[in-house]
Amino acid sequence: MEYETVLDILDDEGTVNLDEREASWRSEGWGGYEASTYATGHPTTTDHSADETIPVVEERLRVGKRDTSHGRVRVRAYTVETPVSEMVELRDEHVELVRTPVNRPAKVDEDYRERSFEAEEHREEAVVSKEARVVEEIGLRKTSDTRQETVSDTVRHTEVEVDDERTAVERHDLDRSRKCCS
């Protein structure tokens, strides 16, 4: 769990792939730290006795693209219990023994026979049932659009000016001496 969290944070912050960065620098002429004067501790010296040269440098614009994170949507479901109450009217039945004083002559055949009767009390009780129903579904859908963007920057290059103040004879002699010695 922590590993994935760390990877998510690094991705969100735009981490740098060092191998890709080194390859890019080397393609632009970097020789590595080991080849620099900082690594050796000896500044490079130029032999001024040799012919000096001026490098002509020209920058070229290379436009690439990278994927960057612009936020995240997380959907999490969890259960919440909410107390509810509802009024219900319940009915109770009661059986009462009723004694009524009577004064009448007895009917021998009828009043002396054995008999019984009964009544049962009833009481309503609340019955609760629950039914779970799906009332909505939530999902995530990713869509993508393409767009065009114009990237503007500046590139540099070296301009070389040559002021040759020699006379035509000196220039001819110099050109001839180069042909002879090469």
Side-chain angles (χ1 to χ4, degrees), residues 111-160:
D111 288 335
Y112 283 111
R113 84 182 146 110
E114 276 195 35
R115 60 178 129 175
S116 69
F117 61 90
E118 59 185 52
E120 189 176 337
E121 288 187 350
H122 286 269
R123 179 178 191 163
E124 290 181 333
E125 295 178 347
V127 177
V128 176
S129 68
K130 298 178 189 179
E131 176 186 18
R133 308 237 353 126
V134 177
V135 296
E136 185 178 16
E137 291 180 335
I138 297 176
L140 293 177
R141 176 180 299 130
K142 286 176 74 171
T143 60
S144 64
D145 297 325
T146 58
R147 60 185 162 78
Q148 290 188 347
E149 184 175 315
T150 301
V151 177
S152 300
D153 203 343
T154 58
V155 293
R156 300 177 295 175
H157 69 275
T158 304
E159 295 277 338
V160 178

Side-chain angles (χ1 to χ4, degrees), residues 94-99 119 121:
H94 304 283
V95 175
E96 294 179 13
L97 184 60
V98 178
R99 292 180 182 242
E121 288 187 350

